[in-house]
């Protein structure tokens, strides 16, 4: 297994990456913004993506998006193929794309919005902190990318102030919190997120 910075030689995997993201959204029943193969290919051409391969077989992927004239970058589209889950691969991909983001855009704040507890845990371990959406990019193009998410109506009803996703931010100018504090932060996030989805499920049953 190798996790490398993607380039033009990996464009042939763009379709399976998009298919895997879409299938994951259906299985999880949560919102994931869809991307086209052409969009994924552009990320590879610009050196703004990481891909995991088992020989020539696709295993996982993640890419970088730049916002606010380089003031922010987002690590988006983290996906692991079902055949390679529960092996610690997501953590390796997340670490690789985070390091690549920090190297390529050293002064940028790195942010993430996600509904997944596993991603929240990884973000917390890397030094991200939960923040309101107002601390993330105000670039309308980024938020417009959420239109293919099943929860987009929640985002629009709240005037982009909150959604079922949690906003998380790594600021290179802020000292990284101690491990114990990071762990407490994640447990609190986990509790809030579980309560939120439980409430949503109860509303569906009414």
């Amino acid at each position: 297994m190798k996790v490398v910075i993607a380039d033009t030689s990996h464009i042939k995997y763009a379709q399976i990456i998009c298919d895997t993201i879409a299938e994951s959204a259906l299985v999880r029943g949560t919102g994931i913004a869809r991307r086209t193969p052409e969009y994924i290919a552009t990320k590879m051409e610009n050196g703004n993506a990481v891909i995991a391969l088992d020989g020539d077989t696709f295993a996982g992927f993640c890419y970088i998006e730049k916002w606010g004239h380089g003031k922010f970058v987002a690590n988006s589209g983290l996906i692991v193929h079902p055949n390679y889950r529960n092996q610690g691969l997501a953590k390796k991909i997340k670490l690789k794309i985070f390091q690549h983001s920090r190297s390529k855009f050293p002064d940028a704040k790195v942010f993430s919005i996600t509904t997944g507890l596993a991603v929240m845990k990884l973000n917390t371990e890397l030094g991200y902190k939960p923040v309101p959406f107002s601390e993330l990019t105000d670039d309308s193009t980024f938020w417009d990318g959420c239109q293919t998410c099943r929860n987009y109506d929640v985002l629009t009803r709240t005037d982009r102030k909150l959604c079922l996703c949690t906003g998380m931010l790594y600021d290179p100018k802020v000292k990284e919190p101690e491990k114990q504090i990071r762990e407490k932060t994640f447990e609190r996030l986990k509790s809030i997120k579980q309560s939120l989805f439980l409430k949503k499920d109860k509303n569906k049953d009414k």
Side-chain angles (χ1 to χ4, degrees), residues 15 53 56-57 63 67 89 99 114 116 120 138 146 158 186:
Q15 185 63 59
L53 297 171
D56 292 327
T57 304
Y63 63 87
W67 305 102
L89 182 56
Q99 291 173 336
T114 181
M120 290 181 204
D138 59 0
C146 295
T158 60
F186 172 70

Side-chain angles (χ1 to χ4, degrees), residues 42-131:
T42 299
K43 293 299 176 184
M44 294 175 173
E45 291 170 348
N46 294 338
N48 287 336
V50 162
I51 190 168
L53 297 171
D54 181 9
D56 292 327
T57 304
F58 168 71
F61 181 77
C62 192
Y63 63 87
I64 300 170
E65 290 181 302
K66 185 172 65 172
W67 305 102
H69 305 289
K71 293 181 180 179
F72 293 90
V73 295
N75 294 161
S76 303
L78 176 62
I79 191 69
V80 173
H81 191 277
N83 294 344
Y84 295 93
R85 289 174 187 164
N86 302 312
Q87 300 177 27
L89 182 56
K91 187 172 184 177
K92 293 178 181 178
I93 295 172
K94 186 71 177 178
L95 180 59
K96 183 75 172 180
I97 197 72
F98 179 75
Q99 291 173 336
H100 186 42
S101 299
R102 296 287 298 114
S103 175
K104 195 167 185 178
F105 308 101
D107 298 322
K109 295 179 181 179
V110 188
F111 74 95
S112 168
I113 62 169
T114 181
T115 57
L117 285 173
V119 176
M120 290 181 204
K121 189 173 190 300
L122 291 174
N123 285 346
T124 303
E125 291 174 355
L126 290 171
Y128 287 70
K129 68 173 184 177
V131 295

